Amino acid sequence: YPMFSHHPKSLGRDWTTPWENLQRCCWNRHISSCMRWPGHYSRAPYPYFSSRHFSLNWRPPCLFESRTQFQYSNWRPDNLSQTSLIHLSSYIMNSEGDEPSSKRRKHQGMIKRNWEYICNHKKEKTKILGDENVDPQCEDSENKFDFSVMSYNILSQDLLEDNSHLYRHCRRPVLHWSFRFPNILKEIKHFDADVLCLQEVQEDHYGTEIRPSLESLGYHCEYKMRTGRKPDGCAICFKHSKFSLLSVNPVEFFRPDIPLLDRDNIGLVLLLQPKIPCATSPAICVANTHLLYNPRRGDIKLTQLAMLLAEISSVAHQKDGSFCPIVMCGDFNSVPGSPLYSFIKEGKLNYEGLAIGKVSGQEQSSRGQRILSIPIWPPNLGISQNCVYEVQQVPKVEKTDKDPTQTQLEKTEVLETAEKLSSNLQHHFSLSSVYSHFFPDTGIPEVTTCHSRSAITVDYIFYSAEKEDVARHPGAEVALGGGLKLLARLSLLTEQDLWTVNGLPNENNSSDHLPLLAKFRLEL
């Protein structure tokens, strides 16, 4: 606050400064936002004087919160004594780290998120952007299995405290874990998803509060902590009444023998068997991850994604060579339309000449412009450019009368082990995004995370689906031929929506991410 000769004094979240300072420095110049005079009005401790162009002859109107005329309606600056104090909202201070006027707290409240219903390919009578008060119920029968999935980055308390600069806009009490966890649990209870994919689950909180609470709600919980010093990880929890567990497959992205993979992010892949009476159904593969944040290390992000896809390929592979239905959730730290996002949805990526800092699309700065190497990861990772595990040919010794040392090569899987160096990445899944990432009527972006520095989409629910040939609005693809059909999704919000309740976290939403929720149908 260099314009003041004396430092302003803190008054809660706001500031006070001697009147002569403001009179000396601010008259006849643009003031970007509101000024507040310490009034005596009981309902509004500090009546607002809205003034984008404050002048010596300006007179305040009546109070906004009262229909009575403000008694100082003939007030002029020269009526103020030199010892008076002006009360300045913290949101108008034009210093680094403060919020722009568009992010000023407007009111506290709850924003409703509506269920959006997706029409299916048979043109059945369904609701689109339906009744906000109706929760689409999952129904099971002999020829279909319905289930719901939530993906939610619940914001580790340790990470919150280590990155407190991202939450300067928040009131301190809403950042305490004792306040946040009951809100998070309330959300989980309310939406009652059959499968939960949670990120940034702090280990001590998981053991003492999160897991016991979810188990009491009928969930079975599996957890994988990060491999480094940060004590958080990913959890997948599912309802006992809907699924049985076939396998648990953690994925550690840290590899001490590979310098590229020096980060401690992880993934978790579960194979679940739907519980359907009098019917057989394929298993469902559910994956959850939290990829590296660093916007300038797209090489690490792509390699971590390839490792996760390789594990999914191994887990979801069926005897007939096909894959069982797949749901892949998580915080991918990449924005819609970025090369990493496009690779997931399109199943291919030619990264030749791609700058390392452009992979995730998180920022458009000139930093991190080294070009991706070909190949991105070394051969000893054991993952091909098709994002599957490479199986080395192992010599098998069989003794015979003619040649006791005759060697035969045996393959356990049909995979290429020696590939020509190529800049083309591929994967074998047909994945769609539950969300369209833009509001169709306005083109305004949806956001899944919102804090002091950014409001973007980085969280996703991808699912295996065969897209219809008929053109449809993005994000509403349905599955044919054994994939998953998207029935409904919980709507997302705009950045403007979230700043009307002071961004995230706030009094009702206790993470800096929104939960994503989708309902699927598996045709049997």
Coordinates of all heavy atoms in Angstrom, one line a residue, residues 105-176:
R105 N -16.5 -10.5 -2.7 CA -17.5 -11.2 -2.1 C -18.9 -10.5 -2.3 O -19.0 -9.3 -2.0 CB -17.3 -11.4 -0.7 CG -18.3 -12.3 0.0 CD -18.3 -12.3 1.5 NE -16.9 -12.5 1.9 CZ -16.6 -12.7 3.2 NH1 -17.6 -12.8 4.1 NH2 -15.4 -12.9 3.6
K106 N -19.8 -11.1 -2.9 CA -21.1 -10.5 -3.1 C -22.2 -10.9 -2.1 O -22.8 -10.1 -1.5 CB -21.6 -10.8 -4.6 CG -20.7 -10.2 -5.6 CD -21.1 -10.7 -7.0 CE -20.2 -10.0 -8.1 NZ -18.8 -10.4 -8.0
H107 N -22.3 -12.2 -1.9 CA -23.2 -12.6 -0.8 C -22.8 -14.1 -0.5 O -22.1 -14.7 -1.2 CB -24.6 -12.5 -1.2 CG -25.0 -13.5 -2.3 ND1 -24.9 -13.2 -3.7 CD2 -25.4 -14.8 -2.3 CE1 -25.3 -14.2 -4.4 NE2 -25.6 -15.2 -3.6
Q108 N -23.3 -14.5 0.6 CA -23.0 -15.9 1.0 C -24.3 -16.7 0.8 O -25.4 -16.2 1.2 CB -22.6 -16.0 2.5 CG -21.3 -15.2 2.8 CD -20.2 -15.7 2.0 OE1 -20.0 -16.9 1.8 NE2 -19.3 -14.8 1.6
G109 N -24.2 -17.8 0.2 CA -25.4 -18.6 0.0 C -25.0 -19.9 -0.7 O -23.8 -20.2 -0.8
M110 N -26.0 -20.6 -1.2 CA -25.7 -21.9 -1.9 C -26.2 -21.8 -3.3 O -27.3 -21.3 -3.6 CB -26.5 -23.0 -1.1 CG -26.3 -24.4 -1.7 SD -27.2 -25.7 -0.8 CE -26.4 -25.6 0.8
I111 N -25.4 -22.3 -4.2 CA -25.8 -22.3 -5.6 C -26.3 -23.7 -5.9 O -25.7 -24.7 -5.6 CB -24.6 -22.0 -6.5 CG1 -24.1 -20.6 -6.3 CG2 -25.0 -22.2 -8.0 CD1 -22.9 -20.2 -7.2
K112 N -27.5 -23.8 -6.5 CA -28.1 -25.1 -6.8 C -27.5 -25.6 -8.1 O -27.3 -24.9 -9.0 CB -29.6 -25.0 -6.9 CG -30.3 -24.7 -5.6 CD -31.8 -24.7 -5.8 CE -32.5 -24.5 -4.5 NZ -34.0 -24.4 -4.6
R113 N -27.2 -26.9 -8.1 CA -26.8 -27.6 -9.3 C -27.8 -28.6 -9.7 O -28.3 -29.4 -8.9 CB -25.4 -28.3 -9.0 CG -24.3 -27.4 -8.6 CD -23.1 -28.1 -8.2 NE -22.6 -29.0 -9.3 CZ -21.6 -29.9 -9.2 NH1 -21.0 -30.1 -8.0 NH2 -21.2 -30.6 -10.2
N114 N -28.2 -28.5 -11.0 CA -29.4 -29.3 -11.5 C -28.9 -30.5 -12.1 O -27.8 -30.6 -12.7 CB -30.2 -28.4 -12.5 CG -30.6 -27.1 -11.9 OD1 -30.9 -27.0 -10.7 ND2 -30.8 -26.1 -12.7
W115 N -29.8 -31.5 -12.1 CA -29.5 -32.7 -12.9 C -29.8 -32.5 -14.4 O -30.9 -31.9 -14.7 CB -30.4 -33.9 -12.4 CG -29.8 -34.6 -11.2 CD1 -30.2 -34.4 -9.9 CD2 -28.7 -35.4 -11.2 NE1 -29.4 -35.2 -9.1 CE2 -28.5 -35.8 -9.8 CE3 -27.8 -36.0 -12.1 CZ2 -27.5 -36.7 -9.4 CZ3 -26.8 -36.8 -11.8 CH2 -26.6 -37.2 -10.4
E116 N -28.9 -32.8 -15.2 CA -29.1 -32.8 -16.7 C -29.3 -34.2 -17.2 O -28.4 -35.0 -17.0 CB -27.9 -32.1 -17.3 CG -27.6 -30.7 -16.9 CD -26.4 -30.1 -17.5 OE1 -25.6 -30.9 -18.1 OE2 -26.1 -28.9 -17.3
Y117 N -30.5 -34.4 -17.8 CA -30.8 -35.7 -18.3 C -30.4 -35.9 -19.8 O -30.7 -34.9 -20.6 CB -32.3 -36.0 -18.1 CG -32.7 -36.0 -16.6 CD1 -33.0 -34.8 -16.0 CD2 -32.7 -37.1 -15.9 CE1 -33.4 -34.7 -14.7 CE2 -33.0 -37.1 -14.5 CZ -33.4 -35.9 -14.0 OH -33.7 -35.8 -12.6
I118 N -29.9 -37.0 -20.1 CA -29.4 -37.2 -21.5 C -30.3 -38.1 -22.2 O -30.6 -39.2 -21.8 CB -28.0 -37.8 -21.5 CG1 -27.1 -37.0 -20.6 CG2 -27.4 -37.8 -22.9 CD1 -26.9 -35.6 -20.9
C119 N -30.8 -37.6 -23.4 CA -31.7 -38.5 -24.2 C -30.9 -39.6 -24.8 O -29.8 -39.5 -25.2 CB -32.3 -37.7 -25.4 SG -33.7 -36.6 -24.9
N120 N -31.5 -40.8 -24.8 CA -30.8 -41.9 -25.4 C -31.1 -42.1 -26.9 O -32.0 -41.4 -27.4 CB -31.1 -43.2 -24.6 CG -32.5 -43.6 -24.6 OD1 -33.2 -43.3 -25.6 ND2 -33.0 -44.4 -23.6
H121 N -30.4 -43.1 -27.5 CA -30.5 -43.2 -28.9 C -31.8 -43.8 -29.4 O -32.2 -43.7 -30.6 CB -29.4 -44.1 -29.4 CG -29.5 -45.6 -28.9 ND1 -29.2 -45.9 -27.6 CD2 -29.8 -46.7 -29.5 CE1 -29.4 -47.2 -27.4 NE2 -29.8 -47.7 -28.6
K122 N -32.6 -44.3 -28.5 CA -34.0 -44.8 -28.9 C -35.0 -43.8 -28.8 O -36.2 -44.0 -29.0 CB -34.3 -46.0 -28.0 CG -33.4 -47.2 -28.2 CD -33.9 -48.4 -27.4 CE -33.0 -49.6 -27.6 NZ -33.4 -50.8 -26.7
K123 N -34.6 -42.5 -28.5 CA -35.6 -41.4 -28.4 C -36.6 -41.7 -27.3 O -37.8 -41.3 -27.5 CB -36.2 -41.1 -29.7 CG -35.2 -40.9 -30.9 CD -34.4 -39.7 -30.6 CE -33.4 -39.5 -31.8 NZ -32.5 -38.4 -31.6
E124 N -36.2 -42.3 -26.3 CA -37.2 -42.5 -25.2 C -37.5 -41.2 -24.6 O -36.8 -40.2 -24.7 CB -36.6 -43.5 -24.2 CG -36.4 -44.9 -24.7 CD -35.8 -45.8 -23.6 OE1 -35.4 -45.3 -22.6 OE2 -35.6 -47.0 -23.9
K125 N -38.7 -41.2 -23.9 CA -39.1 -39.9 -23.3 C -38.3 -39.7 -22.0 O -38.5 -40.3 -21.0 CB -40.6 -40.0 -23.0 CG -41.2 -38.7 -22.5 CD -42.7 -38.8 -22.3 CE -43.3 -37.5 -21.8 NZ -44.7 -37.6 -21.5
T126 N -37.4 -38.8 -22.1 CA -36.5 -38.4 -21.0 C -36.5 -36.9 -20.9 O -36.8 -36.2 -21.8 CB -35.1 -39.0 -21.1 OG1 -34.5 -38.4 -22.3 CG2 -35.1 -40.5 -21.2
K127 N -36.0 -36.4 -19.8 CA -35.8 -35.0 -19.5 C -34.4 -34.5 -19.9 O -33.5 -35.2 -19.5 CB -36.1 -34.6 -18.1 CG -37.6 -34.9 -17.7 CD -37.8 -34.6 -16.2 CE -39.2 -34.9 -15.7 NZ -39.4 -34.5 -14.3
I128 N -34.3 -33.4 -20.5 CA -33.0 -32.8 -20.7 C -33.0 -31.5 -19.9 O -33.9 -30.7 -19.9 CB -32.8 -32.5 -22.2 CG1 -32.8 -33.8 -23.0 CG2 -31.5 -31.8 -22.4 CD1 -32.6 -33.6 -24.5
L129 N -31.9 -31.3 -19.2 CA -31.8 -30.2 -18.3 C -33.0 -30.2 -17.4 O -33.7 -29.2 -17.2 CB -31.7 -28.8 -19.0 CG -30.5 -28.8 -20.0 CD1 -30.5 -27.4 -20.7 CD2 -29.2 -29.0 -19.3
G130 N -33.2 -31.3 -16.7 CA -34.5 -31.5 -16.1 C -34.7 -30.8 -14.8 O -34.0 -29.9 -14.4
D131 N -35.8 -31.3 -14.1 CA -36.2 -30.7 -12.9 C -35.1 -30.8 -11.8 O -34.6 -31.9 -11.5 CB -37.4 -31.5 -12.4 CG -38.0 -30.9 -11.1 OD1 -37.4 -30.0 -10.5 OD2 -39.1 -31.4 -10.7
E132 N -34.7 -29.7 -11.3 CA -33.6 -29.6 -10.4 C -33.8 -30.4 -9.1 O -32.9 -30.8 -8.4 CB -33.2 -28.2 -10.0 CG -34.4 -27.5 -9.3 CD -34.1 -26.0 -9.1 OE1 -33.5 -25.4 -10.0 OE2 -34.4 -25.5 -8.0
N133 N -35.1 -30.7 -8.8 CA -35.4 -31.3 -7.5 C -35.5 -32.8 -7.7 O -35.8 -33.6 -6.8 CB -36.7 -30.8 -7.0 CG -36.6 -29.3 -6.6 OD1 -35.6 -28.9 -6.1 ND2 -37.6 -28.5 -7.0
V134 N -35.4 -33.3 -8.9 CA -35.6 -34.7 -9.2 C -34.2 -35.4 -9.3 O -33.4 -35.0 -10.2 CB -36.4 -35.0 -10.5 CG1 -36.5 -36.5 -10.7 CG2 -37.8 -34.4 -10.3
D135 N -34.0 -36.4 -8.6 CA -32.7 -37.2 -8.6 C -33.0 -38.4 -9.5 O -33.8 -39.2 -9.1 CB -32.3 -37.5 -7.2 CG -30.9 -38.3 -7.2 OD1 -30.4 -38.5 -8.3 OD2 -30.5 -38.6 -6.1
P136 N -32.3 -38.6 -10.6 CA -32.6 -39.7 -11.4 C -32.1 -41.0 -10.7 O -31.0 -41.2 -10.4 CB -31.7 -39.5 -12.7 CG -30.7 -38.5 -12.3 CD -31.3 -37.7 -11.2
Q137 N -33.1 -41.9 -10.4 CA -32.8 -43.1 -9.7 C -32.2 -44.1 -10.6 O -32.6 -44.3 -11.7 CB -34.1 -43.6 -9.0 CG -34.7 -42.6 -8.0 CD -33.7 -42.3 -6.9 OE1 -33.1 -43.2 -6.3 NE2 -33.6 -41.0 -6.5
C138 N -31.2 -44.9 -10.0 CA -30.7 -46.0 -10.7 C -31.5 -47.2 -10.6 O -31.9 -47.5 -9.4 CB -29.2 -46.3 -10.2 SG -28.1 -45.0 -10.6
E139 N -31.8 -47.9 -11.6 CA -32.7 -49.1 -11.6 C -31.9 -50.3 -12.2 O -31.3 -50.1 -13.2 CB -34.0 -48.8 -12.4 CG -34.8 -47.6 -11.8 CD -36.0 -47.4 -12.7 OE1 -36.2 -48.1 -13.7 OE2 -36.8 -46.5 -12.3
D140 N -32.1 -51.4 -11.5 CA -31.5 -52.6 -12.0 C -32.6 -53.6 -12.4 O -33.6 -53.7 -11.9 CB -30.6 -53.3 -10.9 CG -29.5 -52.3 -10.5 OD1 -29.1 -51.5 -11.3 OD2 -29.0 -52.5 -9.3
S141 N -32.2 -54.4 -13.4 CA -33.1 -55.4 -13.9 C -32.3 -56.5 -14.5 O -31.0 -56.4 -14.5 CB -34.2 -54.9 -14.9 OG -33.6 -54.6 -16.1
E142 N -32.9 -57.5 -15.1 CA -32.1 -58.6 -15.7 C -31.4 -58.2 -17.0 O -30.5 -58.8 -17.4 CB -33.1 -59.8 -16.0 CG -33.6 -60.5 -14.8 CD -34.4 -61.7 -15.1 OE1 -34.5 -62.0 -16.3 OE2 -34.9 -62.4 -14.2
N143 N -31.8 -57.1 -17.6 CA -31.2 -56.7 -18.8 C -30.5 -55.3 -18.7 O -30.0 -54.8 -19.7 CB -32.2 -56.7 -20.0 CG -33.3 -55.7 -19.7 OD1 -33.4 -55.1 -18.6 ND2 -34.2 -55.6 -20.7
K144 N -30.4 -54.8 -17.5 CA -29.7 -53.5 -17.4 C -29.2 -53.3 -16.0 O -29.7 -53.9 -15.0 CB -30.6 -52.3 -17.8 CG -31.8 -52.1 -16.9 CD -32.6 -50.9 -17.3 CE -33.8 -50.8 -16.4 NZ -34.7 -49.7 -16.9
F145 N -28.1 -52.6 -15.8 CA -27.5 -52.3 -14.5 C -27.2 -50.8 -14.5 O -26.4 -50.3 -15.3 CB -26.3 -53.1 -14.3 CG -25.6 -52.8 -13.0 CD1 -26.1 -53.3 -11.8 CD2 -24.4 -52.1 -13.0 CE1 -25.4 -53.0 -10.6 CE2 -23.8 -51.8 -11.8 CZ -24.3 -52.3 -10.6
D146 N -27.8 -50.0 -13.6 CA -27.6 -48.6 -13.5 C -26.8 -48.3 -12.2 O -26.9 -49.0 -11.2 CB -28.9 -47.9 -13.3 CG -29.8 -47.9 -14.6 OD1 -29.3 -48.5 -15.6 OD2 -30.9 -47.4 -14.6
F147 N -25.8 -47.4 -12.4 CA -25.0 -47.0 -11.2 C -24.5 -45.6 -11.4 O -24.5 -45.0 -12.5 CB -23.8 -48.0 -11.1 CG -22.8 -47.9 -12.2 CD1 -21.6 -47.2 -12.1 CD2 -23.1 -48.6 -13.4 CE1 -20.7 -47.2 -13.1 CE2 -22.2 -48.6 -14.5 CZ -21.0 -47.9 -14.3
S148 N -24.1 -45.0 -10.3 CA -23.7 -43.6 -10.3 C -22.3 -43.5 -9.8 O -21.8 -44.3 -9.0 CB -24.6 -42.7 -9.4 OG -24.7 -43.3 -8.1
V149 N -21.5 -42.5 -10.3 CA -20.1 -42.3 -10.0 C -19.9 -40.9 -9.6 O -20.3 -40.0 -10.4 CB -19.2 -42.7 -11.1 CG1 -17.7 -42.5 -10.8 CG2 -19.4 -44.2 -11.5
M150 N -19.2 -40.6 -8.5 CA -18.8 -39.3 -8.1 C -17.3 -39.2 -8.1 O -16.6 -40.1 -7.6 CB -19.3 -38.9 -6.7 CG -18.7 -37.6 -6.2 SD -19.1 -37.2 -4.5 CE -20.8 -36.7 -4.6
S151 N -16.7 -38.1 -8.7 CA -15.3 -37.8 -8.7 C -15.2 -36.5 -7.9 O -15.8 -35.5 -8.3 CB -14.7 -37.7 -10.0 OG -13.3 -37.5 -10.0
Y152 N -14.3 -36.5 -6.9 CA -14.3 -35.3 -6.0 C -12.9 -35.2 -5.4 O -12.4 -36.0 -4.7 CB -15.3 -35.5 -4.9 CG -15.6 -34.3 -4.1 CD1 -15.1 -33.0 -4.4 CD2 -16.5 -34.4 -3.0 CE1 -15.5 -31.9 -3.7 CE2 -16.9 -33.3 -2.3 CZ -16.4 -32.0 -2.6 OH -16.7 -30.9 -1.9
N153 N -12.2 -34.1 -5.7 CA -11.0 -33.7 -5.1 C -11.4 -32.9 -3.8 O -11.9 -31.8 -3.9 CB -10.2 -32.8 -6.0 CG -8.8 -32.4 -5.4 OD1 -8.7 -32.2 -4.2 ND2 -7.8 -32.2 -6.3
I154 N -11.2 -33.5 -2.7 CA -11.7 -32.9 -1.4 C -10.7 -32.0 -0.7 O -11.1 -31.5 0.3 CB -12.1 -34.0 -0.4 CG1 -10.9 -34.9 0.0 CG2 -13.2 -34.9 -1.1 CD1 -11.3 -35.9 1.1
L155 N -9.6 -31.7 -1.3 CA -8.6 -30.7 -0.8 C -8.0 -31.2 0.5 O -8.6 -30.9 1.6 CB -9.2 -29.3 -0.7 CG -8.3 -28.2 -0.2 CD1 -7.1 -28.1 -1.0 CD2 -9.1 -26.9 -0.1
S156 N -6.8 -31.8 0.4 CA -6.1 -32.1 1.6 C -5.8 -30.9 2.5 O -5.4 -29.9 2.0 CB -4.8 -32.8 1.2 OG -3.8 -32.7 2.2
Q157 N -6.0 -31.1 3.8 CA -5.8 -30.0 4.7 C -4.3 -29.5 4.7 O -4.1 -28.3 4.8 CB -6.2 -30.4 6.1 CG -6.3 -29.2 7.1 CD -7.3 -28.2 6.8 OE1 -8.3 -28.5 6.1 NE2 -7.2 -27.0 7.3
D158 N -3.4 -30.5 4.6 CA -2.0 -30.1 4.6 C -1.7 -29.3 3.3 O -0.9 -28.3 3.4 CB -1.1 -31.4 4.6 CG -0.9 -31.9 6.0 OD1 -1.5 -31.4 6.9 OD2 0.0 -32.8 6.1
L159 N -2.2 -29.6 2.2 CA -2.0 -28.9 1.0 C -2.7 -27.5 1.1 O -2.1 -26.5 0.6 CB -2.5 -29.6 -0.2 CG -1.8 -30.9 -0.6 CD1 -2.4 -31.6 -1.8 CD2 -0.3 -30.6 -0.9
L160 N -3.8 -27.4 1.7 CA -4.5 -26.1 1.9 C -3.6 -25.2 2.7 O -3.4 -24.0 2.3 CB -5.8 -26.4 2.6 CG -6.7 -25.1 2.9 CD1 -8.2 -25.6 3.0 CD2 -6.3 -24.4 4.1
E161 N -3.0 -25.7 3.8 CA -2.2 -24.9 4.6 C -0.9 -24.5 4.0 O -0.3 -23.5 4.2 CB -2.0 -25.6 6.0 CG -3.3 -25.7 6.8 CD -3.2 -26.6 8.0 OE1 -2.1 -27.1 8.3 OE2 -4.3 -26.8 8.6
D162 N -0.3 -25.5 3.2 CA 0.9 -25.2 2.5 C 0.7 -24.2 1.3 O 1.7 -23.6 0.9 CB 1.5 -26.5 1.9 CG 2.0 -27.4 3.0 OD1 2.2 -26.9 4.1 OD2 2.3 -28.6 2.7
N163 N -0.5 -24.0 0.9 CA -0.8 -23.1 -0.3 C -1.8 -22.1 0.1 O -2.8 -21.8 -0.6 CB -1.2 -23.9 -1.5 CG -0.2 -24.9 -2.0 OD1 0.7 -24.5 -2.8 ND2 -0.3 -26.1 -1.6
S164 N -1.6 -21.5 1.3 CA -2.6 -20.6 1.9 C -2.9 -19.4 1.0 O -3.9 -18.7 1.1 CB -2.2 -20.1 3.3 OG -1.0 -19.5 3.2
H165 N -1.9 -19.0 0.1 CA -2.1 -17.9 -0.8 C -3.2 -18.1 -1.8 O -3.7 -17.1 -2.3 CB -0.8 -17.6 -1.5 CG -0.3 -18.7 -2.4 ND1 0.3 -19.9 -1.9 CD2 -0.4 -18.9 -3.7 CE1 0.6 -20.7 -2.9 NE2 0.1 -20.1 -4.0
L166 N -3.6 -19.3 -2.0 CA -4.7 -19.6 -2.9 C -6.1 -19.3 -2.3 O -7.1 -19.3 -3.0 CB -4.7 -21.0 -3.4 CG -3.4 -21.4 -4.2 CD1 -3.5 -22.9 -4.5 CD2 -3.2 -20.6 -5.4
Y167 N -6.1 -19.1 -1.0 CA -7.4 -19.0 -0.2 C -7.5 -17.7 0.6 O -8.2 -17.7 1.6 CB -7.5 -20.3 0.7 CG -7.2 -21.5 -0.1 CD1 -6.0 -22.2 0.1 CD2 -8.1 -22.0 -1.1 CE1 -5.7 -23.4 -0.6 CE2 -7.8 -23.1 -1.8 CZ -6.6 -23.8 -1.6 OH -6.3 -24.9 -2.3
R168 N -6.8 -16.7 0.1 CA -6.9 -15.4 0.8 C -8.3 -14.8 0.7 O -8.7 -14.0 1.6 CB -5.9 -14.4 0.1 CG -4.5 -14.7 0.4 CD -3.6 -13.8 -0.4 NE -2.2 -14.1 -0.1 CZ -1.1 -13.6 -0.8 NH1 -1.4 -12.8 -1.9 NH2 0.1 -13.9 -0.5
H169 N -9.1 -15.2 -0.2 CA -10.5 -14.7 -0.3 C -11.4 -15.3 0.7 O -12.6 -14.9 0.8 CB -11.0 -15.0 -1.8 CG -11.1 -16.4 -2.1 ND1 -10.0 -17.2 -2.4 CD2 -12.1 -17.3 -2.2 CE1 -10.3 -18.4 -2.7 NE2 -11.6 -18.5 -2.5
C170 N -11.0 -16.4 1.3 CA -11.9 -17.1 2.2 C -11.8 -16.6 3.6 O -10.8 -16.1 4.1 CB -11.5 -18.6 2.3 SG -11.5 -19.4 0.7
R171 N -13.0 -16.7 4.3 CA -13.0 -16.5 5.8 C -12.2 -17.6 6.4 O -12.4 -18.8 6.1 CB -14.4 -16.4 6.3 CG -15.2 -15.2 5.8 CD -16.4 -14.9 6.6 NE -17.2 -16.2 6.8 CZ -17.4 -16.8 7.9 NH1 -16.8 -16.3 9.0 NH2 -18.1 -17.9 8.0
R172 N -11.4 -17.3 7.4 CA -10.6 -18.3 8.1 C -11.4 -19.5 8.6 O -10.9 -20.6 8.4 CB -9.8 -17.7 9.2 CG -8.8 -16.6 8.8 CD -7.7 -17.2 7.9 NE -8.0 -16.9 6.5 CZ -7.3 -17.3 5.4 NH1 -6.3 -18.2 5.6 NH2 -7.7 -17.0 4.2
P173 N -12.5 -19.3 9.2 CA -13.2 -20.4 9.8 C -13.6 -21.5 8.8 O -13.6 -22.7 9.2 CB -14.5 -19.8 10.5 CG -14.1 -18.4 10.8 CD -13.2 -18.0 9.6
V174 N -13.9 -21.1 7.6 CA -14.3 -22.1 6.6 C -13.2 -23.0 6.1 O -13.4 -24.0 5.4 CB -15.1 -21.5 5.4 CG1 -16.2 -20.6 5.9 CG2 -14.1 -20.7 4.5
L175 N -12.0 -22.6 6.5 CA -10.8 -23.4 6.0 C -10.4 -24.5 7.0 O -9.5 -25.3 6.7 CB -9.6 -22.5 5.7 CG -9.9 -21.4 4.6 CD1 -8.6 -20.6 4.4 CD2 -10.3 -22.1 3.3
H176 N -11.0 -24.5 8.2 CA -10.6 -25.5 9.2 C -11.1 -26.8 8.9 O -12.3 -26.9 8.4 CB -11.1 -25.0 10.6 CG -10.4 -23.7 11.1 ND1 -11.0 -22.9 12.0 CD2 -9.3 -23.1 10.7 CE1 -10.3 -21.9 12.2 NE2 -9.2 -22.0 11.4

